[in-house]
Amino acid sequence: MARTKEFDQDAVLLKAMRLFWHQGYEKTSMQELVTHMGIHKGSMYDTFGDKRSLYIKTLKRYSEMLEESQQRRMANTKSAAEAIRSLFDNAIRHRDENPEGCFMVNTAVELANHDAEARDWVQHDWARTEQLILDLIVEGQQSGEIPMTLHAERLAAFLNNALIGLRVMVKTTMDKAKLNQIIDMNMSVLK
């Protein structure tokens, strides 16, 4: 007879994500994970697999959370340009809540060169954000807010790259005025 789980899997997964996010994959030991998650080692292996499998599950959960957050913020915007701006603004807000930076950016820097599955999750997340930006650009072009003369796909790739760069930069500077100037400059290409 199978035992029922005596813990909230999502809550425990979020605890693991926070530890990986704070320390990185390589610096986080199995013992630290078990202690931080508050579960037995056997339960961890039975539920999440090994350390790498757990890490990939935390990436998937983070990607879901980021998408939910972006969708909530998009619902509160009045225009395509405002929605795009909110993605950039969120990178600064996100830093205030998570001084470790963006979990996907951290993963890209630490693991992408030698872990194909981690790299795939990063690419998946960044491609999803680029598609969101592209959809907003097309919406803005259809409404007349963004000039039709701008190449939508190239502009989406440019803005996504700028957003990723901003997510890196917020880890190294507390100068919000400078960060906002960077956002303003990137937004100026929409005019």
Side-chain angles (χ1 to χ4, degrees):
M1 182 171 165
R3 292 181 57 197
T4 59
K5 301 286 185 214
E6 297 175 6
F7 56 87
D8 179 336
Q9 288 185 39
D10 193 55
V12 170
L13 185 64
L14 291 175
K15 287 180 181 181
M17 182 178 68
R18 294 306 268 148
L19 188 60
F20 281 132
W21 197 345
H22 179 68
Q23 295 184 176
Y25 177 79
E26 296 295 337
K27 290 185 180 178
T28 303
S29 72
M30 284 300 292
Q31 186 56 52
E32 287 173 309
L33 283 164
V34 169
T35 301
H36 191 77
M37 294 164 72
I39 62 175
H40 298 288
K41 192 179 269 191
S43 294
M44 196 206 84
Y45 282 110
D46 289 345
T47 305
F48 302 107
D50 60 9
K51 176 181 162 182
R52 186 179 166 286
S53 296
L54 174 61
Y55 190 85
I56 297 300
K57 286 179 171 110
T58 65
L59 279 178
K60 180 180 186 289
R61 184 66 181 106
Y62 179 80
S63 181
E64 292 166 354
M65 290 169 53
L66 193 57
E67 183 174 10
E68 291 165 9
S69 172
Q70 288 172 342
Q71 288 175 349
R72 273 194 313 275
R73 293 201 192 289
M74 297 303 107
N76 295 324
T77 58
K78 296 177 183 82
S79 71
E82 185 181 323
I84 293 169
R85 173 75 191 222
S86 76
L87 292 172
F88 283 90
D89 289 340
N90 190 48
I92 296 173
R93 242 187 330 273
H94 193 68
R95 187 269 320 267
D96 294 339
E97 298 164 9
N98 300 294
E100 293 87 4
C102 173
F103 192 37
M104 284 295 169
V105 168
N106 296 353
T107 299
V109 171
E110 182 182 13
L111 298 177
N113 282 340
H114 59 275
D115 188 317
E117 193 172 5
R119 181 179 55 246
D120 289 347
W121 269 107
V122 170
Q123 289 175 341
H124 165 79
D125 188 71
W126 290 353
R128 182 189 47 74
T129 300
E130 186 171 324
Q131 184 62 52
L132 172 63
I133 294 169
L134 175 60
D135 293 345
L136 290 167
I137 291 167
V138 169
E139 177 185 318
Q141 287 178 326
Q142 290 171 349
S143 72
E145 178 186 10
I146 298 172
M148 292 295 281
T149 56
L150 297 174
H151 190 282
E153 289 85 6
R154 291 179 189 162
L155 183 56
F158 168 79
L159 290 171
N160 190 46
N161 183 65
L163 179 59
I164 293 165
L166 184 66
R167 287 177 178 163
V168 172
M169 193 165 192
V170 298
K171 288 183 67 147
T172 63
T173 185
M174 298 297 284
D175 187 346
K176 285 189 180 182
K178 181 177 184 173
L179 296 171
N180 280 308
Q181 288 171 354
I182 291 168
I183 294 171
D184 291 342
M185 182 59 71
N186 283 304
M187 293 303 295
S188 72
V189 303
L190 296 176
K191 297 176 180 168

